[in-house]
Amino acid sequence: QVQLVQSGGGLVQAGGSLRLSCATSGITFSIYDIGWYRQAPGKQRELVAGLTRSGSTNYADSVKGRFTISRDNAKNTLYLQMNSLKPEDTAVYYCNVALNNRIFWGQGTQVTVSS
């Protein structure tokens, strides 16, 4: 059974930092591409950051220079370090792993940035 269990998130003041974690099980984590998405109220889910199994990264323009995606294959875990947070970063954040047509999602975690 594949599981993605997220942790981290919460309430932080603007300018602060948070780190999200997503522990996976039931997959060969190292061969999956990984990503973090977010969905704000009334908006569509959007890609925040992606990291391929070969190490290529891509970031939404709105988070470049502030967020960093990473992975620890030994721990089967992906991370999202979020610095210099802004109120517009407020959303539910989801982790994602993908390999061809096998796509799995975490349960989501709320990040709220107060001004």
Side-chain angles (χ1 to χ4, degrees):
Q1 180 182 1
V2 178
Q3 287 190 313
L4 277 67
V5 179
Q6 296 182 220
S7 59
L11 175 63
V12 65
Q13 288 188 332
S17 298
L18 285 173
R19 188 175 83 155
L20 305 182
S21 300
C22 177
T24 72
S25 59
I27 59 172
T28 306
F29 177 71
S30 61
I31 66 173
Y32 279 72
D33 296 334
I34 64 172
W36 288 94
Y37 290 72
R38 67 187 180 188
Q39 187 165 18
K43 295 187 177 181
Q44 290 188 331
R45 191 174 297 190
E46 63 174 355
L47 175 67
V48 174
L51 174 59
T52 68
R53 59 182 175 174
S54 61
S56 298
T57 58
N58 64 295
Y59 293 92
D61 288 342
S62 59
V63 307
K64 283 180 181 177
R66 300 188 297 122
F67 290 12
T68 303
I69 187 172
S70 62
R71 67 193 301 161
D72 185 335
N73 289 338
K75 295 183 178 180
N76 297 325
T77 301
L78 56 152
Y79 304 96
L80 184 68
Q81 178 66 43
M82 305 184 292
N83 298 329
S84 302
L85 283 160
K86 304 176 180 180
E88 51 263 44
D89 295 319
T90 295
V92 178
Y93 284 71
Y94 298 89
C95 60
N96 164 283
V97 297
L99 176 64
N100 298 325
N101 62 344
R102 290 170 59 84
I103 300 172
F104 303 100
W105 293 91
Q107 81 276 17
T109 188
Q110 177 70 44
V111 171
T112 302
V113 185
S114 63
S115 57

